[in-house]
């Protein structure tokens, strides 16, 4: 590790909390609910390496089939779920830190599965009675990797406000962003994403709380990688044929992301004196089975290295921006981290982009 990075003042991750929507379904449950018989679509669902996901499915119509939801219905669902899950994840995070709502000085909220103006920060501040003077930022339109963009923002604020508590909240109501039709395009999306929220507490040096405990990693460095030639490969935009927003995932996404994972990681570790073998903990976004496999192969990681990533995919599906924090929470529960260990957060999303962060316990 270079002396410059080692001595640089760096904020610490003080606590984490997660929440999901109330109902969960197996892949077979979803196929049965929507009466999906197409063998190609059934294969996509049943070979996704996902066992269950938390979803808010549309209400059943009089004929026993799921009712159609308008774009207005979906935006209402997004607002309701994002606020509910965001509140519960934030409270769980504060409990983990041993802090209260009154301690929050900076709030950064991330969501890409719906449109909110005013943003989720304003809604959470009103809902919870957080100090109206709390500094805040909303990160929108950056998809599954927006959690690391938000962490960069929260860490930067914490670094210049030592001892003050910054909180990142990622809240994604993915079931408010579904389009239901018989196409393979929507089948891939509908088979993958689930609802979830995660919150992370970040504190600069000199915290009076538990943030300076030795088991709380410091955030050392961020690095981004944009893949311009694949800028339209992952997108969530207006679908005129469906008269609503819809996801699109190009089948080549796993291979494009995998091919650039090494470049992104090398950029992150450049100048630190570290190599990939020095990284003990990998917290990779649970983007899907093929994405995880592609990242593993290109970085030379083992199944054990990505056990949290595959576990989160199995139990929750792709949770978008907060996915990597669910993996981080699982790592902490194992109690296997040691002082001096290095870890890498890695996410990927629209752009196409790969975001990374280097942390050290």
């Amino acid at each position: 590790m270079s002396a410059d990075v080692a001595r640089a003042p760096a904020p610490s991750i003080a606590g984490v909390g997660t929440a999901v929507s109330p109902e969960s379904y197996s892949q077979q449950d979803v196929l049965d609910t929507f009466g999906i018989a197409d063998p190609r679509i059934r294969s996509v669902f049943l070979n996704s390496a996902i066992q269950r996901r938390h979803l808010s499915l549309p209400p059943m119509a009089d004929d026993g089939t799921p009712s159609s939801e308008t774009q207005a219905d979906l935006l209402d669902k997004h607002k309701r779920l994002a606020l509910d899950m965001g509140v519960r994840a934030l409270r769980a995070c504060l409990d983990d830190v041993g802090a209260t709502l009154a301690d929050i000085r900076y709030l950064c909220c991330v969501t890409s599965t719906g449109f909110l103006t005013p943003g989720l920060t304003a809604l959470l501040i009103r809902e919870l009675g957080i100090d109206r003077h709390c500094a805040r930022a909303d990160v929108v339109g950056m998809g599954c990797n927006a959690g690391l963009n938000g962490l960069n923002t929260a860490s930067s604020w914490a670094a210049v406000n030592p001892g003050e508590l910054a909180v990142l909240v990622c809240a994604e109501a993915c079931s408010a962003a579904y389009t239901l039709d018989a196409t393979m395009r929507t089948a891939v999306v509908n088979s993958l994403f689930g609802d979830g929220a995660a919150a992370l507490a970040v504190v600069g040096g000199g915290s009076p709380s538990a943030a300076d405990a030795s088991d709380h990693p410091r955030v050392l460095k961020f690095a981004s990688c944009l893949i311009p030639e694949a800028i339209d490969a992952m997108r969530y935009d207006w679908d005129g044929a469906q008269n609503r927003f819809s996801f699109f995932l190009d089948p080549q996404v796993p291979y494009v992301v995998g091919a650039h994972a090494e470049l992104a990681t090398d950029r992150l570790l450049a100048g630190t004196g570290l190599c990939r073998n020095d990284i003990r903990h990998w917290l990779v976004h649970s983007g899907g089975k093929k994405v995880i496999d592609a990242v593993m192969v290109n970085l030379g990681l083992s199944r054990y290295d990505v056990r949290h990533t595959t576990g989160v995919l199995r139990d929750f599906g792709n949770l978008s921006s907060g996915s990597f924090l669910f993996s981080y929470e699982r790592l902490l529960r194992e109690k296997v981290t040691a002082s001096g260990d290095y870890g890498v957060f890695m996410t990927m999303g629209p752009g196409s982009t790969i975001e990374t962060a280097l942390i050290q316990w």
Side-chain angles (χ1 to χ4, degrees):
M1 190 71 179
S2 74
D4 288 344
V5 175
R7 286 196 298 266
S12 297
I13 297 175
V16 64
T18 58
V20 291
S21 56
E23 305 296 333
S24 75
Y25 302 87
S26 69
Q27 297 291 67
Q28 187 64 54
D29 291 338
V30 178
L31 291 170
D32 293 344
T33 299
F34 291 98
I36 298 172
D38 186 323
R40 298 176 307 150
I41 295 178
R42 292 181 64 85
S43 178
V44 170
F45 274 72
L46 298 175
N47 294 289
S48 59
I50 298 169
Q51 291 185 0
R52 298 193 72 82
R53 292 177 290 157
H54 288 256
L55 297 167
S56 179
L57 300 181
M60 304 303 282
D62 293 340
D63 63 359
T65 62
S67 60
S68 176
E69 295 173 296
T70 66
Q71 184 61 64
D73 294 332
L74 295 175
L75 289 173
D76 288 344
K77 179 188 288 188
H78 168 257
K79 183 177 181 179
R80 172 174 55 81
L81 290 175
L83 187 56
D84 172 65
M85 294 187 298
V87 165
R88 288 187 284 117
L90 176 54
R91 289 191 180 280
C93 177
L94 293 177
D95 288 344
D96 192 38
V97 181
T100 69
L101 293 168
D103 295 318
I104 300 175
R105 296 289 179 270
Y106 180 83
L107 180 63
C108 178
C109 288
V110 173
T111 187
S112 295
T113 47
F115 182 70
L116 293 171
T117 301
L120 190 57
T121 55
L123 299 178
L124 283 174
I125 287 171
R126 182 187 66 175
E127 178 74 15
L128 294 171
I130 296 170
D131 185 348
R132 66 174 63 192
H133 302 295
C134 177
R136 63 192 179 90
D138 287 279
V139 176
V140 297
M142 303 188 85
C144 294
N145 58 21
L148 273 178
N149 301 112
L151 178 58
N152 197 339
T153 301
S155 297
S156 297
W157 185 91
V160 296
N161 293 275
E164 303 285 3
L165 177 62
V167 178
L168 165 70
V169 176
C170 304
E172 303 290 4
C174 294
S175 54
Y178 282 174
T179 295
L180 303 173
D181 59 22
T183 68
M184 187 58 70
R185 164 178 169 161
T186 61
V188 171
V189 173
N190 295 347
S191 70
L192 181 59
F193 290 91
D195 301 337
L200 199 70
V202 182
V203 182
S207 167
S209 70
D212 54 356
S214 60
D215 58 343
H216 295 139
R218 295 182 303 144
V219 183
L220 300 180
K221 186 182 179 186
F222 292 88
S224 301
C225 179
L226 175 68
I227 310 170
E229 60 272 25
I231 197 165
D232 288 325
M234 288 184 268
R235 62 179 191 266
Y236 179 58
D237 56 8
W238 188 256
D239 185 336
Q242 295 286 345
N243 200 32
R244 66 180 61 193
F245 289 98
S246 69
F247 278 125
F248 172 75
L249 294 174
D250 190 287
Q252 296 301 311
V253 161
Y255 312 107
V256 171
V257 168
H260 290 80
E262 188 173 12
L263 175 64
T265 306
D266 289 347
R267 178 78 176 186
L268 177 69
L269 299 182
T272 66
L274 299 172
C275 62
R276 269 177 262 162
N277 288 337
D278 295 318
I279 306 302
R280 185 174 179 194
H281 309 291
W282 293 87
L283 292 311
V284 180
H285 168 52
S286 301
K289 181 177 181 296
K290 290 182 179 178
V291 171
I292 298 169
D293 288 345
V295 170
M296 279 180 54
V297 169
N298 284 277
L299 293 183
L301 304 182
S302 67
R303 286 286 172 194
Y304 180 80
D305 290 328
V306 296
R307 64 195 182 281
H308 312 104
T309 300
T310 53
V312 169
L313 181 69
R314 179 193 63 225
D315 298 337
F316 298 103
N318 182 335
L319 295 163
S320 190
S321 63
S323 173
F324 75 107
L325 296 179
F326 277 71
S327 293
Y328 174 70
E329 185 179 52
R330 290 189 171 202
L331 170 64
L332 296 187
R333 287 175 180 169
E334 289 183 343
K335 299 186 182 301
V336 296
T337 60
S339 179
D341 282 357
Y342 288 100
V344 165
F345 290 136
M346 174 177 285
T347 63
M348 54 289 297
S352 296
T353 54
I354 300 174
E355 303 291 341
T356 57
L358 177 65
I359 60 177
Q360 184 186 26
W361 277 262

